[in-house]
Amino acid sequence: MGAGRDGGRGCGSASAALRRLARSPRVDHFDPHGLVVPGRAAASGGGAVRPLIGVTVSRRSGWRVFPFMAFAVWLAGGRALRWQTGHREVDLEAVHGVVIGGGDDIEPTLYGGELQLDVRLDPDRDALEQHVLRGAFERNLPILGICRGAQMLNVVLGGSLHGDAYAVHPSRRYRTVLPRKKVDVLQGTLLSHTARSACLRVNALHSQAVDRLGEGLRVAGRDDGGMVQAVERLTDPFALGVQWHPEYLVYRRAHRRLFRALVAAARARRDAICQLDAAEAEAALPGFLER
């Protein structure tokens, strides 16, 4: 196979990955409640086993957030495992990908920022997610960062944040789980190929946002005030960070595709093929809700 986007690590083209997926036999996955989920077997024959995705959530609010995450991952063909401080030991060897979820603000000392008034911090979770992200990169695990998770992805890679992003950008401030905010997706990015849209309607629950980009990241989306709304890596492992909460928007196709891309990248890692190409190829196929 020719060199792919990761500079010669054996990745083929997205079109080649799409052809492999199209030739793969369809299988039916059964969940514990007896529901049948149409899916595809991987070309290697291992696709019938749903990839296990570790999901970090807040110890305070994870009980209500995790079910949305688990459902979004399940719709995408994966299984979700809940990680939070004091809940269970994180075993990165047991999972095929990770989601870093939303929650409290990130401790400013981690990126050289200033402490903001009236914000809630969670230093224990900061430490947990730094460990998860560094371990994920060491193991080539695909990553989806959501809201705080996108910010932590940037911080772990050496970037910085705006502690109060709305004091820096003239963006309209929303605080809602409904898709009221508009995000312009940059052409030619992984996000544009994955979501298959140049403009997304998203929700917003954040106060921090990406300032200086971390190593290996690029901006993939901004709002109308110029605030960064999405970042992504250019090479494997797949790593996409979005400032909104797609787990609350799975009734919209573009947001379901983000989780499908993650699960496809997890399968690709397991099968030792290019994660970015697999993620883009998966987005070009109809999900089972669209069939």
Side-chain angles (χ1 to χ4, degrees):
M1 298 173 66
R5 69 177 71 241
D6 66 349
R9 280 191 281 177
C11 289
S13 66
S15 60
L18 180 57
R19 288 194 297 272
R20 285 196 298 273
L21 284 169
R23 290 196 301 267
S24 300
R26 290 284 303 281
V27 298
D28 287 327
H29 302 301
F30 290 84
D31 80 333
H33 304 291
L35 297 176
V36 181
V37 184
R40 290 184 183 271
S44 67
V49 178
R50 286 174 173 254
L52 184 61
I53 308 297
V55 180
T56 67
V57 293
S58 167
R59 180 171 53 187
R60 180 178 54 85
S61 60
W63 64 272
R64 68 172 182 265
V65 174
F66 181 74
F68 289 95
M69 292 283 200
F71 183 57
V73 170
W74 180 82
L75 284 177
R79 296 174 294 138
L81 177 67
R82 178 175 167 181
W83 284 339
Q84 66 184 55
T85 57
H87 182 62
R88 63 160 52 90
E89 184 178 353
V90 169
D91 182 4
L92 286 163
E93 299 296 337
V95 300
H96 305 101
V98 299
V99 175
I100 308 297
D104 299 330
D105 281 10
I106 295 171
E107 170 62 55
T109 58
L110 298 180
Y111 57 87
E114 296 182 358
L115 181 65
Q116 302 293 315
L117 298 177
D118 300 323
V119 299
R120 182 184 285 114
L121 304 176
D122 189 345
D124 290 339
R125 186 178 176 191
D126 290 344
L128 172 72
E129 291 178 341
Q130 289 179 86
H131 166 72
V132 169
L133 282 168
R134 288 168 180 153
F137 281 119
E138 289 172 0
R139 293 165 177 80
N140 207 39
L141 292 170
I143 300 160
L144 176 61
I146 292 176
C147 196
R148 166 196 163 93
Q151 299 159 11
M152 184 59 80
L153 172 65
N154 188 60
V155 168
V156 165
L157 292 175
S160 65
L161 306 177
H162 293 300
D164 182 359
Y166 291 95
V168 178
H169 295 282
S171 305
R172 181 174 177 180
R173 187 162 198 154
Y174 293 95
R175 191 163 186 84
T176 176
V177 296
L178 300 177
R180 296 184 58 194
K181 183 171 186 171
K182 187 181 79 168
V183 169
D184 293 318
V185 179
L186 276 64
Q187 186 176 4
T189 58
L190 173 64
L191 177 60
S192 70
H193 296 150
T194 300
R196 300 177 68 80
S197 178
C199 178
L200 295 173
R201 286 287 177 177
V202 307
N203 48 31
L205 296 169
H206 66 98
S207 57
Q208 296 180 310
V210 168
D211 179 10
R212 185 184 70 253
L213 284 173
E215 183 178 356
L217 293 179
R218 69 176 175 185
V219 175
R222 295 183 185 271
D223 66 13
D224 55 8
M227 189 188 302
V228 174
Q229 293 293 309
V231 294
E232 63 186 34
R233 272 174 58 91
L234 299 175
T235 61
D236 277 3
F238 170 97
L240 174 64
V242 297
Q243 191 58 77
W244 61 93
H245 288 262
E247 72 273 24
Y248 299 140
L249 300 171
V250 293
Y251 52 88
R252 293 201 166 202
R253 184 181 307 175
H255 301 290
R256 290 197 301 273
R257 285 181 175 140
L258 304 184
F259 290 96
R260 286 176 54 199
L262 173 70
V263 172
R267 289 196 185 101
R269 175 194 178 265
R270 186 179 61 193
D271 297 337
I273 61 176
C274 183
Q275 296 179 27
L276 299 187
D277 286 347
E280 290 188 10
E282 173 65 25
L285 296 169
F288 81 87
L289 292 180
E290 291 94 49
R291 293 190 180 105

